[in-house]
Amino acid sequence: VIEFNDGSSIQISNPEISIQGLVFGDRRLNYTKNMIFIDKTNKLWADLNFNEEVKGIATKLTSKLKKWWKKETAEQVPSDYITIQIANYEKLADGSIQKTIVSEGSGSWLEYIQIDQELFWRVDDSINEWNFELDEQLPSSSRNRKDKQFIKSKQFDQAQIEKDKIENQQRNDAKLRKEHAPKKN
């Protein structure tokens, strides 16, 4: 469950994981079945269905023999393929849930996601750096360390003195926490 400051939350059910090829063959880890997101506040339901089929050893050997005799076709769906359905839902008087699909999507959890035929995410997308300057810095911010300021101005001896002060303060704080911590039985 992910809880937000406004009191809303999203429940998430994790998919199953299939690990194959531990003894022989290619090692593969795939998600199987589906992953469900439920937002009760906004009455939204999202279902990510993973395409991986769990096969027995006989089915795997048969499919490998078939692949050996004939080439793979473009119709075969990769194991990382997912389908997505986003729906409004309503709980009925009899306890059942009625869903109305509002968006559908598909893609690969390793490469791209598209929703309603619009590309939503691609692995090659650039990610904006999280570097940003705050108007006001907290006094405890590492940007305010005196030793860092002395290093920038190339006053290395003074920087070492300030670093030692910080380390001694940290040691003293740790000692006080240990002395005043509740005793374990």
Side-chain angles (χ1 to χ4, degrees):
V1 175
I2 299 173
E3 296 178 350
F4 299 97
N5 290 337
D6 66 357
S8 63
S9 64
I10 297 176
Q11 294 177 338
I12 302 171
S13 70
N14 290 323
E16 292 182 13
I17 294 178
S18 167
I19 299 174
Q20 300 166 338
L22 293 177
V23 178
F24 65 90
D26 295 333
R27 290 191 184 110
R28 294 180 11 173
L29 179 139
N30 284 301
Y31 292 110
T32 63
K33 300 194 179 179
N34 60 353
M35 184 174 191
I36 297 173
F37 299 81
I38 300 172
D39 179 351
K40 290 183 179 179
T41 305
N42 298 303
K43 302 234 183 247
L44 287 172
W45 179 294
D47 189 354
L48 272 66
N49 190 348
F50 295 90
N51 193 49
E52 171 65 18
E53 294 177 28
V54 178
K55 300 175 184 175
I57 193 159
T59 309
K60 288 180 189 176
L61 289 173
T62 306
S63 67
K64 285 188 189 242
L65 287 172
K66 286 180 184 176
K67 286 179 188 176
W68 187 65
W69 269 295
K70 71 176 194 181
K71 292 183 179 179
E72 289 188 36
T73 64
E75 296 172 12
Q76 291 175 319
V77 180
S79 62
D80 59 334
Y81 186 76
I82 60 172
T83 56
I84 304 165
Q85 284 189 335
I86 301 171
N88 288 322
Y89 76 92
E90 180 181 350
K91 196 168 190 177
L92 302 176
D94 66 359
S96 64
I97 294 175
Q98 179 181 348
K99 293 187 263 183
T100 307
I101 296 172
V102 294
S103 289
E104 291 186 302
S106 62
S108 159
W109 56 272
L110 296 174
E111 295 178 32
Y112 71 96
I113 303 285
Q114 63 183 20
I115 297 176
D116 294 330
Q117 303 301 316
E118 186 177 328
L119 189 61
F120 185 73
W121 168 81
R122 188 180 54 216
V123 73
D124 299 358
D125 289 347
S126 63
I127 298 172
N128 294 334
E129 291 289 326
W130 284 30
N131 290 338
F132 56 92
E133 293 294 324
L134 298 174
D135 293 337
E136 293 182 31
Q137 295 290 325
L138 293 173
S140 60
S141 172
S142 66
R143 296 177 189 180
N144 297 329
R145 286 181 56 151
K146 288 182 181 177
D147 61 334
K148 186 175 180 180
Q149 294 166 5
F150 284 118
I151 289 172
K152 283 184 179 178
S153 63
K154 299 191 186 309
Q155 297 178 22
F156 300 113
D157 291 338
Q158 191 62 36
Q160 183 63 46
I161 292 168
E162 291 300 325
K163 179 178 162 274
D164 290 341
K165 285 181 187 177
I166 292 169
E167 289 176 348
N168 288 333
Q169 179 68 46
Q170 290 171 341
R171 285 187 199 98
N172 188 45
D173 289 346
K175 179 182 168 189
L176 290 172
R177 279 193 299 274
K178 188 175 182 179
E179 287 175 3
H180 299 284
K183 303 283 188 233
K184 293 183 181 180
N185 293 348

mmCIF file of all heavy atoms in Angstrom, residues 34-51:
data_model
loop_
_atom_site.group_PDB
_atom_site.id
_atom_site.type_symbol
_atom_site.label_atom_id
_atom_site.label_comp_id
_atom_site.label_asym_id
_atom_site.label_seq_id
_atom_site.Cartn_x
_atom_site.Cartn_y
_atom_site.Cartn_z
ATOM 1 N N ASN A 34 -0.725 -11.317 -13.189
ATOM 2 C CA ASN A 34 -0.992 -9.880 -13.300
ATOM 3 C C ASN A 34 -0.667 -9.136 -12.018
ATOM 4 O O ASN A 34 -0.451 -9.718 -10.966
ATOM 5 C CB ASN A 34 -2.436 -9.619 -13.718
ATOM 6 C CG ASN A 34 -3.437 -10.183 -12.741
ATOM 7 O OD1 ASN A 34 -3.085 -10.883 -11.808
ATOM 8 N ND2 ASN A 34 -4.694 -9.880 -12.954
ATOM 9 N N MET A 35 -0.627 -7.814 -12.174
ATOM 10 C CA MET A 35 -0.348 -6.895 -11.074
ATOM 11 C C MET A 35 -1.510 -5.912 -11.053
ATOM 12 O O MET A 35 -1.835 -5.320 -12.085
ATOM 13 C CB MET A 35 0.975 -6.184 -11.350
ATOM 14 C CG MET A 35 1.449 -5.274 -10.288
ATOM 15 S SD MET A 35 3.112 -4.686 -10.774
ATOM 16 C CE MET A 35 3.612 -3.920 -9.266
ATOM 17 N N ILE A 36 -2.143 -5.748 -9.899
ATOM 18 C CA ILE A 36 -3.339 -4.908 -9.820
ATOM 19 C C ILE A 36 -3.071 -3.712 -8.908
ATOM 20 O O ILE A 36 -2.495 -3.852 -7.831
ATOM 21 C CB ILE A 36 -4.541 -5.719 -9.298
ATOM 22 C CG1 ILE A 36 -4.863 -6.842 -10.286
ATOM 23 C CG2 ILE A 36 -5.758 -4.825 -9.091
ATOM 24 C CD1 ILE A 36 -5.917 -7.802 -9.800
ATOM 25 N N PHE A 37 -3.504 -2.535 -9.373
ATOM 26 C CA PHE A 37 -3.429 -1.292 -8.609
ATOM 27 C C PHE A 37 -4.860 -0.844 -8.341
ATOM 28 O O PHE A 37 -5.644 -0.722 -9.285
ATOM 29 C CB PHE A 37 -2.717 -0.191 -9.416
ATOM 30 C CG PHE A 37 -1.302 -0.524 -9.780
ATOM 31 C CD1 PHE A 37 -1.015 -1.339 -10.859
ATOM 32 C CD2 PHE A 37 -0.258 0.001 -9.052
ATOM 33 C CE1 PHE A 37 0.285 -1.633 -11.205
ATOM 34 C CE2 PHE A 37 1.059 -0.288 -9.395
ATOM 35 C CZ PHE A 37 1.317 -1.112 -10.475
ATOM 36 N N ILE A 38 -5.197 -0.578 -7.079
ATOM 37 C CA ILE A 38 -6.541 -0.128 -6.740
ATOM 38 C C ILE A 38 -6.449 1.184 -5.967
ATOM 39 O O ILE A 38 -5.814 1.255 -4.926
ATOM 40 C CB ILE A 38 -7.296 -1.177 -5.893
ATOM 41 C CG1 ILE A 38 -7.416 -2.496 -6.658
ATOM 42 C CG2 ILE A 38 -8.679 -0.659 -5.509
ATOM 43 C CD1 ILE A 38 -7.982 -3.639 -5.838
ATOM 44 N N ASP A 39 -7.102 2.210 -6.516
ATOM 45 C CA ASP A 39 -7.188 3.530 -5.889
ATOM 46 C C ASP A 39 -8.637 3.699 -5.439
ATOM 47 O O ASP A 39 -9.507 4.054 -6.234
ATOM 48 C CB ASP A 39 -6.785 4.608 -6.893
ATOM 49 C CG ASP A 39 -6.883 6.016 -6.324
ATOM 50 O OD1 ASP A 39 -7.417 6.191 -5.210
ATOM 51 O OD2 ASP A 39 -6.434 6.949 -7.013
ATOM 52 N N LYS A 40 -8.907 3.423 -4.160
ATOM 53 C CA LYS A 40 -10.285 3.475 -3.648
ATOM 54 C C LYS A 40 -10.832 4.894 -3.616
ATOM 55 O O LYS A 40 -12.021 5.108 -3.794
ATOM 56 C CB LYS A 40 -10.356 2.849 -2.254
ATOM 57 C CG LYS A 40 -10.156 1.349 -2.275
ATOM 58 C CD LYS A 40 -10.317 0.751 -0.892
ATOM 59 C CE LYS A 40 -10.145 -0.758 -0.955
ATOM 60 N NZ LYS A 40 -10.277 -1.383 0.359
ATOM 61 N N THR A 41 -9.966 5.882 -3.392
ATOM 62 C CA THR A 41 -10.416 7.275 -3.329
ATOM 63 C C THR A 41 -10.993 7.724 -4.662
ATOM 64 O O THR A 41 -12.056 8.330 -4.719
ATOM 65 C CB THR A 41 -9.248 8.205 -2.932
ATOM 66 O OG1 THR A 41 -8.691 7.736 -1.704
ATOM 67 C CG2 THR A 41 -9.716 9.630 -2.773
ATOM 68 N N ASN A 42 -10.289 7.418 -5.748
ATOM 69 C CA ASN A 42 -10.728 7.847 -7.080
ATOM 70 C C ASN A 42 -11.472 6.754 -7.836
ATOM 71 O O ASN A 42 -11.799 6.927 -9.006
ATOM 72 C CB ASN A 42 -9.519 8.320 -7.896
ATOM 73 C CG ASN A 42 -8.862 9.517 -7.248
ATOM 74 O OD1 ASN A 42 -9.489 10.530 -7.030
ATOM 75 N ND2 ASN A 42 -7.588 9.384 -6.916
ATOM 76 N N LYS A 43 -11.682 5.615 -7.178
ATOM 77 C CA LYS A 43 -12.393 4.473 -7.758
ATOM 78 C C LYS A 43 -11.767 4.047 -9.088
ATOM 79 O O LYS A 43 -12.455 3.882 -10.092
ATOM 80 C CB LYS A 43 -13.879 4.787 -7.932
ATOM 81 C CG LYS A 43 -14.564 5.167 -6.634
ATOM 82 C CD LYS A 43 -15.752 4.291 -6.415
ATOM 83 C CE LYS A 43 -16.485 4.720 -5.171
ATOM 84 N NZ LYS A 43 -16.439 3.783 -4.134
ATOM 85 N N LEU A 44 -10.437 3.900 -9.077
ATOM 86 C CA LEU A 44 -9.705 3.463 -10.267
ATOM 87 C C LEU A 44 -9.082 2.094 -10.024
ATOM 88 O O LEU A 44 -8.627 1.800 -8.921
ATOM 89 C CB LEU A 44 -8.603 4.459 -10.632
ATOM 90 C CG LEU A 44 -9.059 5.772 -11.234
ATOM 91 C CD1 LEU A 44 -7.877 6.735 -11.350
ATOM 92 C CD2 LEU A 44 -9.697 5.557 -12.591
ATOM 93 N N TRP A 45 -9.048 1.303 -11.071
ATOM 94 C CA TRP A 45 -8.517 -0.050 -11.034
ATOM 95 C C TRP A 45 -7.601 -0.191 -12.244
ATOM 96 O O TRP A 45 -8.027 0.047 -13.373
ATOM 97 C CB TRP A 45 -9.670 -1.031 -11.133
ATOM 98 C CG TRP A 45 -9.342 -2.481 -11.125
ATOM 99 C CD1 TRP A 45 -8.651 -3.179 -12.065
ATOM 100 C CD2 TRP A 45 -9.738 -3.426 -10.146
ATOM 101 N NE1 TRP A 45 -8.582 -4.497 -11.730
ATOM 102 C CE2 TRP A 45 -9.254 -4.676 -10.557
ATOM 103 C CE3 TRP A 45 -10.462 -3.350 -8.963
ATOM 104 C CZ2 TRP A 45 -9.460 -5.831 -9.822
ATOM 105 C CZ3 TRP A 45 -10.665 -4.508 -8.241
ATOM 106 C CH2 TRP A 45 -10.167 -5.728 -8.660
ATOM 107 N N ALA A 46 -6.347 -0.551 -12.056
ATOM 108 C CA ALA A 46 -5.433 -0.790 -13.170
ATOM 109 C C ALA A 46 -4.943 -2.226 -13.089
ATOM 110 O O ALA A 46 -4.590 -2.714 -12.023
ATOM 111 C CB ALA A 46 -4.255 0.171 -13.119
ATOM 112 N N ASP A 47 -4.966 -2.908 -14.225
ATOM 113 C CA ASP A 47 -4.567 -4.304 -14.297
ATOM 114 C C ASP A 47 -3.453 -4.446 -15.322
ATOM 115 O O ASP A 47 -3.661 -4.167 -16.502
ATOM 116 C CB ASP A 47 -5.781 -5.149 -14.696
ATOM 117 C CG ASP A 47 -5.527 -6.640 -14.592
ATOM 118 O OD1 ASP A 47 -4.382 -7.039 -14.316
ATOM 119 O OD2 ASP A 47 -6.482 -7.411 -14.787
ATOM 120 N N LEU A 48 -2.252 -4.809 -14.877
ATOM 121 C CA LEU A 48 -1.131 -5.087 -15.773
ATOM 122 C C LEU A 48 -1.048 -6.597 -15.903
ATOM 123 O O LEU A 48 -0.827 -7.296 -14.920
ATOM 124 C CB LEU A 48 0.187 -4.576 -15.189
ATOM 125 C CG LEU A 48 0.579 -3.147 -15.487
ATOM 126 C CD1 LEU A 48 -0.364 -2.176 -14.842
ATOM 127 C CD2 LEU A 48 1.996 -2.906 -15.075
ATOM 128 N N ASN A 49 -1.256 -7.096 -17.102
ATOM 129 C CA ASN A 49 -1.241 -8.531 -17.345
ATOM 130 C C ASN A 49 0.066 -8.894 -18.038
ATOM 131 O O ASN A 49 0.349 -8.417 -19.127
ATOM 132 C CB ASN A 49 -2.446 -8.920 -18.211
ATOM 133 C CG ASN A 49 -2.622 -10.415 -18.297
ATOM 134 O OD1 ASN A 49 -1.744 -11.179 -17.913
ATOM 135 N ND2 ASN A 49 -3.756 -10.823 -18.802
ATOM 136 N N PHE A 50 0.851 -9.745 -17.393
ATOM 137 C CA PHE A 50 2.127 -10.173 -17.949
ATOM 138 C C PHE A 50 1.895 -11.398 -18.811
ATOM 139 O O PHE A 50 1.176 -12.312 -18.430
ATOM 140 C CB PHE A 50 3.124 -10.480 -16.828
ATOM 141 C CG PHE A 50 3.469 -9.256 -16.033
ATOM 142 C CD1 PHE A 50 2.732 -8.899 -14.915
ATOM 143 C CD2 PHE A 50 4.507 -8.442 -16.421
ATOM 144 C CE1 PHE A 50 3.042 -7.770 -14.190
ATOM 145 C CE2 PHE A 50 4.825 -7.300 -15.697
ATOM 146 C CZ PHE A 50 4.088 -6.967 -14.586
ATOM 147 N N ASN A 51 2.514 -11.430 -19.982
ATOM 148 C CA ASN A 51 2.222 -12.443 -20.986
ATOM 149 C C ASN A 51 2.938 -13.767 -20.767
ATOM 150 O O ASN A 51 2.632 -14.739 -21.423
ATOM 151 C CB ASN A 51 2.575 -11.905 -22.380
ATOM 152 C CG ASN A 51 2.014 -12.774 -23.473
ATOM 153 O OD1 ASN A 51 0.844 -13.109 -23.452
ATOM 154 N ND2 ASN A 51 2.842 -13.154 -24.416
#
